[in-house]
Amino acid sequence: MLNRHYEQGLQKVVEGLTSKMQRDTLIKETTSKLRKLLEVDRVVLYYFYNEWEGQVTFESLNSKELSILGSTGPDGCFNNEYAALYLAGRVRAIADIKSEPIESCHRDFLSSMQVRANLVVPVLIPRGLWGLFAAHQCQSTRHWSQSDIELMQEGAKTLATAPCVLES
């Protein structure tokens, strides 16, 4: 009996690790594909591990100096108001953070990460806001086209519908 419980427990661990590896591979491939198709400096996944608390867990870069992996965002800047907008499917395209009317904490945060233009789409799963995909242009301003937005939304949908993400 004890041996059977051990085997069942081990099987659950193996299944969990397999699912995590599939999820991580999917996210890496999606962020890399988006960065190349959009021809941007950086694409990141900001994952929410708690209600409106998260961090950059994956990134694809055109230069390692642009890494922001592990960044958690400005304290208190992302609140219920912003969360509600993204939960409703908000897409935020900022051509130039210097001229866009945004909260100063948001501008300072983006500036600290060397962001000049920003495109953000939500990754929505049935239980809520799982994360945000963000494309960053660091060297210059950028007008985000409708096709840029659609590519990011497609990437977010790819994650949001993947069983390995839905289970995480």
Side-chain angles (χ1 to χ4, degrees):
M1 185 74 155
L2 186 58
N3 196 24
R4 185 169 161 214
H5 287 298
Y6 175 78
E7 287 177 12
Q8 288 173 338
L10 188 57
Q11 182 63 31
K12 284 184 181 181
V13 169
V14 169
E15 288 171 4
L17 288 172
T18 301
S19 179
K20 184 181 181 328
M21 288 171 46
Q22 289 171 341
R23 183 196 67 204
D24 291 358
T25 299
L26 177 64
I27 296 169
K28 286 177 190 175
E29 289 172 355
T30 305
T31 54
S32 181
K33 178 182 173 186
L34 286 170
R35 185 184 57 78
K36 290 173 184 165
L37 289 172
L38 294 169
E39 297 179 352
V40 292
D41 296 316
R42 175 175 54 217
V43 172
V44 301
L45 173 69
Y46 188 86
Y47 167 72
F48 290 101
Y49 53 80
N50 231 346
E51 186 175 275
W52 320 145
E53 294 178 348
Q55 72 181 89
V56 174
T57 54
F58 290 88
E59 64 184 1
S60 177
L61 313 165
N62 72 359
S63 172
K64 65 182 178 184
E65 289 81 28
L66 296 174
S67 178
I68 59 170
L69 193 63
S71 295
T72 57
D75 291 336
C77 198
F78 192 89
N79 55 34
N80 288 335
E81 180 184 336
Y82 285 113
L85 293 170
Y86 285 109
L87 278 165
R90 175 194 202 188
V91 171
R92 183 73 159 127
I94 299 174
D96 184 358
I97 69 158
K98 293 182 179 182
S99 61
E100 187 77 16
I102 56 177
E103 296 287 332
S104 59
C105 68
H106 191 206
R107 185 183 329 279
D108 293 345
F109 174 64
L110 291 173
S111 183
S112 75
M113 295 186 307
Q114 303 173 319
V115 174
R116 187 66 191 268
N118 189 36
L119 173 59
V120 180
V121 300
V123 179
L124 295 165
I125 62 173
R127 66 177 183 267
L129 184 60
W130 187 80
L132 299 171
F133 253 142
H136 297 154
Q137 194 68 48
C138 300
Q139 308 303 318
S140 61
T141 62
R142 176 168 178 158
H143 171 76
W144 301 100
S145 69
Q146 186 59 39
S147 64
D148 293 339
I149 293 168
E150 289 169 2
L151 276 171
M152 287 287 283
Q153 289 175 315
E154 185 180 310
K157 185 178 179 183
T158 296
L159 292 189
T161 57
C164 56
V165 170
L166 293 171
E167 296 165 0
S168 64

